[in-house]
Amino acid sequence: MIKAPPFQWSMLHPRFWLLWFGLALAYVLSWLPYRWLMAIGRSLGRLMLKVLKSRRKVAARNLELCFPEKTAAERQQLLLENFEHSGCAAVETIIAWWWPDWRFKKLAHFQGYEHIQAELAKGKGVLLLASHMLHLEAAGRAFGLTHPSVGFYRPHNNPVMEYFMYRGRSRSNKYMIGKRDVKGLIQALNEGEVCFYLPDQDYGPNRAVFVPFFAVAQTASTTGTLLFANAANCSVVPIYTSTLPDGGGYLVEALPALQNFPSGDDSADVSRVNQWVEQAVLKHPEQYMWLHRRFKTRPNPEDKGFY
């Protein structure tokens, strides 16, 4: 468990003034109506598409690898929509971090909570499998309004950002655990907590197997899910999250806990996790974090990189 970082006077050093100004501006903007904020986010996303050329290239390549059956025009349209959601994600962060409960509750929708309650009633912790959807900050806040949970995250290197990020992500939740604190997450699960875990990024070749993900036959995929499921007294519960149309807010959908998991076959189990991620992405592919270099680790060092 990482304690909430305290305010330190060193955070007021001149090198942080521009960041403080940006955070103050973001806070003021957060009080605009939700639809206005989303319009600002979409405009920001279109600007990002033009300016962030390297990220645009990564996202376009990911879409090409994952959806070879789509036409170039279809992938281009998906890329545009994805960047619009990326811009909205920046705005959704300040909403998730700073909106009071009475305001955010209007955007939060939860289905399938009974599946989580059923596992907790057995005296187990719950390892929530979530995917890297762009609205994840808002979805985490929405989840916490129904059941305050524990987050597994990478602390920010900038002390000012870490100060705000920790408090923002804990706004409706319990506390955060650093991504290297494996024992801390296992302990939280053994204590009956509900803990977020995101298994769908490329964390390198260690503790990974190469199994299919969309159309890429050998994708480096973490075995971390299996580690926690084996080591802790917990059930693994997948969740879908999505941004609802027409300003409807955010939906969290909990599914029944995975049965016979882990099975003892790492490749089969991780493939099962990847298949669930695919299902989550296909519900709203424009809302997924395609900006991440998901396929950067290749099975053999001499393999040509995808990027």
Side-chain angles (χ1 to χ4, degrees), residues 211 261 263 265-273 275:
V211 294
F261 184 90
S263 68
D265 184 334
D266 286 3
S267 293
D269 289 334
V270 175
S271 292
R272 188 176 175 187
V273 172
Q275 289 165 9

Side-chain angles (χ1 to χ4, degrees), residues 219-230:
T219 302
S221 305
T222 181
T223 57
T225 312
L226 315 184
L227 184 156
F228 294 118
N230 277 316

Side-chain angles (χ1 to χ4, degrees), residues 146-157:
T146 296
H147 189 106
S149 61
V150 174
F152 198 50
Y153 85 126
R154 184 181 74 81
H156 205 286
N157 294 328

Side-chain angles (χ1 to χ4, degrees), residues 101 105 108 110 113 116-117 120 124-128 139-152 168-177 185 188-189 191-196 239 252:
D101 286 353
K105 283 180 179 178
F110 205 125
Y113 182 53
I116 294 172
Q117 290 176 306
L120 294 174
K124 294 186 174 184
V126 173
L127 184 68
L128 286 177
R141 178 75 186 278
F143 188 97
L145 288 173
T146 296
H147 189 106
S149 61
V150 174
F152 198 50
R169 290 182 174 179
S170 304
R171 184 72 185 254
S172 296
N173 289 289
K174 290 191 173 182
Y175 57 87
M176 308 297 293
I177 296 175
L185 186 61
L189 290 167
E191 292 173 353
E193 299 288 2
V194 176
C195 303
F196 270 83
I239 61 171
V252 177

